Amino acid sequence: MQYNVIVIGSGPGGYVAAIRCAQLGFKTAIVEKYDTLGGTCLNVGCIPSKALLDSSEHFTNAKEHFAEHGIDIPAPKVNFTQMIKRKGDVVKSNVDGIAYLMKKNKIDVHKGVGSFVDKNTIKVTSKDGKETTLTTEKVIIATGSKPTPLPFAAFDKKRIISSTEALELKEVPKHLIVIGGGVIGMELGSVYARIGSKVTVVEFLDSLIPTMDGTMGKELARVAKKQGIEVYLGHKVTAVENTGSEVVVKAEPKNGGTALELKGDYCLVSIGRRPYTDGLGLDKIGIQTEKGQIPVDDHLKTKVDNVYAIGDVVRGAMLAHKAEEEGVYVAEQLAGQKPHVNYLLIPGVVYTWPEVASVGYTEEQLKQSGRAYKTGSFPYKALGRARASMDTDGLVKVLADRQTDEILGVHIIGARAADMIAAGVTAMEFRASAEDVARMSHAHPTYMEAVKEACLAASDNRAIHI
Ligand code: FAD
Ligand code: NAI
């Protein structure tokens, strides 16, 4: 065999799997159909969206908060072309970084669509039609996901767009209609609301970011409205039409009431993503997808003995760090090690401002499972650090077992929640009780004091500052 391991797809699942395989001494190749490495996350996902979130946040601060801080500047203006260019530069430096890491780890990169000939043979078809045949002992499929379209309105990529086009627009929309108030809808909706678009979010369920703890969605809806984002919950979209000069969206309240007709210049459809296996030739090795996903066992092995699958293309959260953990897991398993992924402790973050971050069980899940729990919350507005920066929206909510006090979930909406959630993951990984965290000294003044206070509230209703 030419290779010990071939990885198909170079997103965070694939490139991390390849690096770990190479570190463990396997002769490794990676196959990527696009010109650049890094997959959805680096090219059209995590990185470009965060680049635009950061730029638009700077603009908001300059426009709305500098004066209060005693910084007088002429009214700032958005240079959208530069904003998009900077985003492109950020993406380039990241994808170039992956190319460097492949070289450093002596991983062969094959550009083209990878497809199975049989379980040990992968054909790579490059853009110019040239075919290369590679042989391997093991294969790791990491082909990721694509945006899900509405069944009745395909992406035309002009006015009816997915996140990919929303990251690459040529102008700031006058009115951006967002279908789906999940992670993409709220992040990209925030970007455009901050830089001057009217943004309307139409969500089918009764909460924004509905997979997270209900308190988070409620608070995010409150803050989003304060930021000028119009939110329609519990609405079923019935039609989306590009009339040429505008896009018309029709929706009906699920529980009856007046139908909605919205007119905008762009409609971002962000109703989830679906696993991507086109062109992979799974039929050649007898694998059938289930709901689009590649079925895997607890060890991420498919029904074919030497073929594994990881990341967005398999069950579980569609998150870059989940894909990375799975990449490392499979590589180490191939090397005979006994790795472990704790799926309960994969944190979820929404990079709005304030940010939302969660780990562990939600209150809804605990209620449903019948587990006895207690809660402790602490609002940002009672926090000295938050008052100093004027980031007083938000709260920390800690859920703990009612008998043992073990922390079962940490949910934060507030400034810097994305970084703070790591403390929740650490505490839960070590099975800390709320009192364990409550008794640790937290530097003052920091946002993390809100976590300590929420743990104090959860362990014995003894928060100090509220
Ligand atoms: P992908 O990153 O999708 O990579 C798959 C790769 O496989 C692609 O490069 C594709 O071209 C290639 N490929 C597919 N088929 C073939 C084939 N047959 N041959 C060769 N190559 C092939 N997650 C987070 O954790 N944090 C975030 O902040 C975040 N932000 C996001 C923002 C947006 C707008 C989007 C869309 C997603 C975001 N995500 C975020 C999700 C994250 O991007 C995905 O969970 C992650 O990229 C999944 O990694 P993956 O390796 O499974 O697949
Ligand atoms: P999502 O699953 O987060 O949200 C989709 C939303 O659309 C849900 O609230 C759902 O109820 C709603 N919806 C579904 N069908 C609808 C319809 N017909 N009409 C109105 N609303 C409808 O999916 P999203 O935002 O598209 O993102 C896809 C995935 O990408 C996420 O699940 C996440 O895994 C990943 N992602 C992660 C980010 C992060 O970690 N910060 C950022 C962006 C994406």
Side-chain angles (χ1 to χ4, degrees):
M1 300 284 174
Q2 257 168 297
Y3 292 105
N4 299 123
V5 184
I6 291 180
V7 181
I8 306 180
S10 72
Y15 85 74
V16 168
I19 292 174
R20 192 71 189 114
C21 283
Q23 284 176 345
L24 290 163
F26 295 122
K27 187 161 168 42
T28 306
I30 193 160
V31 182
E32 172 54 56
K33 69 176 191 168
Y34 286 133
D35 294 339
T36 53
L37 303 177
T40 304
C41 179
L42 276 72
N43 290 280
V44 292
C46 327
I47 297 301
S49 59
K50 266 82 256 179
L52 290 183
L53 278 156
D54 278 334
S55 297
S56 57
E57 183 61 21
H58 283 312
F59 176 71
T60 301
N61 284 333
K63 192 171 121 211
E64 291 175 12
H65 304 305
F66 274 15
E68 206 166 349
H69 281 279
I71 306 164
D72 290 333
I73 53 165
K77 281 190 284 199
V78 172
N79 178 344
F80 191 56
T81 311
Q82 169 59 19
M83 227 179 243
I84 293 286
K85 182 193 166 293
R86 190 196 79 94
K87 178 226 59 172
D89 295 344
V90 171
V91 168
K92 185 170 182 327
S93 75
N94 277 274
V95 298
D96 288 352
I98 305 301
Y100 159 77
L101 289 173
M102 295 301 107
K103 252 195 211 121
K104 181 185 163 212
N105 288 283
K106 302 192 173 45
I107 296 162
D108 289 349
V109 176
H110 297 274
K111 292 273 172 75
V113 175
S115 61
F116 284 94
V117 175
D118 60 45
K119 70 189 187 69
N120 296 106
T121 313
I122 304 292
K123 183 175 75 185
V124 181
T125 311
S126 66
K127 262 204 220 152
D128 59 11
K130 200 173 133 243
E131 289 184 358
T132 313
T133 301
L134 311 172
T135 54
T136 182
E137 287 161 18
K138 313 278 183 195
V139 181
I140 304 175
I141 303 171
T143 48
S145 63
K146 291 276 177 220
T148 307
L150 284 162
F152 46 82
F155 293 115
D156 62 25
K157 301 191 179 186
K158 293 186 175 76
R159 298 209 176 276
I160 305 173
I161 59 175
S162 73
S163 52
T164 304
E165 294 77 47
L167 293 165
E168 217 28 270
L169 290 178
K170 301 274 179 288
E171 58 180 359
V172 178
K174 287 181 197 63
H175 183 189
L176 175 68
I177 302 165
V178 177
I179 302 182
V183 195
I184 292 181
M186 293 316 294
E187 287 188 0
L188 294 180
S190 294
V191 166
Y192 287 106
R194 289 170 190 168
I195 60 175
S197 303
K198 175 179 177 192
V199 174
T200 306
V201 177
V202 185
E203 164 60 46
F204 180 73
L205 295 177
D206 295 326
S207 171
L208 293 177
I209 49 167
T211 53
M212 293 178 111
D213 188 280
T215 309
M216 301 294 109
K218 218 168 160 185
E219 183 67 5
L220 184 63
R222 190 188 68 77
V223 179
K225 283 177 198 162
K226 207 168 92 177
Q227 292 169 354
I229 298 177
E230 198 173 40
V231 177
Y232 291 95
L233 299 175
H235 274 69
K236 183 179 161 61
V237 174
T238 52
V240 178
E241 195 195 345
N242 175 354
T243 63
S245 57
E246 62 182 5
V247 60
V248 182
V249 174
K250 292 183 180 157
E252 285 166 9
K254 271 189 310 181
N255 302 324
T258 317
L260 196 65
E261 182 173 304
L262 301 164
K263 289 182 180 164
D265 41 357
Y266 294 92
C267 173
L268 166 63
V269 178
S270 48
I271 56 167
R273 293 176 61 84
R274 58 182 181 192
Y276 182 74
T277 54
D278 292 4
L280 197 52
L282 287 177
D283 52 317
K284 296 278 179 5
I285 53 168
I287 292 180
Q288 280 94 38
T289 56
E290 285 172 14
K291 290 190 196 148
Q293 294 169 343
I294 298 181
V296 285
D297 66 13
D298 288 348
H299 303 284
L300 294 158
K301 194 191 273 192
T302 67
K303 65 189 272 202
V304 182
D305 208 37
N306 66 323
V307 178
Y308 295 77
I310 60 172
D312 281 10
V313 81
V314 302
R315 81 283 180 277
M318 287 185 162
L319 295 174
H321 42 287
K322 178 262 195 183
E324 291 184 24
E325 295 304 330
E326 291 183 336
V328 169
Y329 176 93
V330 170
E332 293 183 351
Q333 202 189 183
L334 292 179
Q337 299 181 8
K338 299 262 179 287
H340 177 67
V341 179
N342 188 346
Y343 285 97
L344 177 64
L345 299 191
I346 303 280
V349 175
V350 190
Y351 294 83
T352 44
W353 196 265
E355 294 169 335
V356 189
S358 278
V359 65
Y361 296 108
T362 64
E363 188 162 0
E364 292 73 20
Q365 286 170 328
L366 292 178
K367 268 193 189 135
Q368 208 179 6
S369 69
R371 185 153 180 184
Y373 67 94
K374 49 191 183 157
T375 65
S377 294
F378 191 81
Y380 267 54
K381 63 174 184 286
L383 203 63
R385 185 70 190 85
R387 287 206 193 127
S389 68
M390 297 195 305
D391 282 310
T392 48
D393 283 321
L395 69 133
V396 175
K397 172 172 165 182
V398 170
L399 302 162
D401 186 279
R402 201 188 294 158
Q403 271 81 44
T404 65
D405 197 38
E406 178 177 351
I407 298 175
L408 301 175
V410 179
H411 307 282
I412 310 173
I413 175 165
R416 303 194 196 172
D419 293 289
M420 288 159 64
I421 201 65
V425 178
T426 308
M428 289 184 69
E429 188 66 53
F430 288 91
R431 304 198 62 181
S433 65
E435 183 161 10
D436 284 333
V437 175
R439 289 196 178 277
M440 288 176 198
S441 172
H442 286 64
H444 174 75
T446 58
Y447 296 99
M448 276 302 297
E449 286 176 290
V451 174
K452 177 185 167 104
E453 292 270 10
C455 284
L456 277 165
S459 64
D460 203 10
N461 199 19
R462 56 194 166 98
I464 301 285
H465 291 93
I466 190 102

